[in-house]
Amino acid sequence: QPQLVESGGGLVQPGGSLRLSCVASGFTLDYYAIGWFRLAPGKEPEGVSCISSGVDTTYYADSVKGRFTISRGNAENTVYLQMNSLKPEDTAVYYCATDPEVLYGSDCRELLLKLHDRVDDWGKGTPVTVSS
């Protein structure tokens, strides 16, 4: 059964860093666009970042631009989200997701638009808490 599993979340002080991992099993992650989403209590779901398949172009929401970096670790069949300069407002459960209907090489923002509120299609998530 193909699935994505997130890990790497935790408690960090403001200004700190975390690296989240999204590990794929049952399929080769390199062939798919991957998106990172987050859901905080009382807030709307947010597509944080994505990486396209093939050309590996990336996209970041304005709220995280310049602080977060998405990348592929193809040998590990993993997509990472490096989060630096974390702020309390980054506190949320973070999820990764993909959709095979998003064509190879297409703009990964299509994935974020398609899945932005389809929480049931995301992974199980990893919680991130930014607090002093």
Side-chain angles (χ1 to χ4, degrees):
Q1 181 77 8
Q3 64 175 349
L4 295 172
V5 178
E6 306 91 339
S7 65
L11 173 64
V12 63
Q13 293 187 341
S17 298
L18 285 173
R19 187 176 79 159
L20 306 185
S21 298
C22 173
V23 180
S25 61
F27 68 102
T28 302
L29 197 146
D30 187 40
Y31 297 139
Y32 297 90
I34 301 298
W36 280 98
F37 302 81
R38 66 186 180 186
L39 186 60
K43 294 186 178 180
E44 292 291 316
E46 182 180 15
V48 172
S49 179
C50 65
I51 186 165
S52 300
S53 56
V55 294
D56 281 355
T57 53
T58 58
Y59 165 83
Y60 300 93
D62 288 343
S63 57
V64 306
K65 197 173 295 182
R67 300 186 298 120
F68 289 13
T69 303
I70 191 170
S71 63
R72 292 186 183 272
N74 291 338
E76 300 85 17
N77 211 25
T78 300
V79 167
Y80 301 101
L81 186 68
Q82 177 67 42
M83 307 189 298
N84 298 328
S85 302
L86 282 162
K87 305 175 181 180
E89 51 263 44
D90 295 317
T91 296
V93 180
Y94 284 72
Y95 304 81
C96 61
T98 189
D99 187 330
E101 294 184 0
V102 175
L103 297 179
Y104 184 84
S106 61
D107 190 332
C108 66
R109 287 175 292 181
E110 177 183 347
L111 177 68
L112 297 186
L113 287 171
K114 193 172 184 182
L115 298 186
H116 83 282
D117 60 353
R118 287 167 50 179
V119 180
D120 289 346
D121 291 335
W122 303 352
K124 293 188 176 180
T126 185
V128 172
T129 302
V130 185
S131 175
S132 54

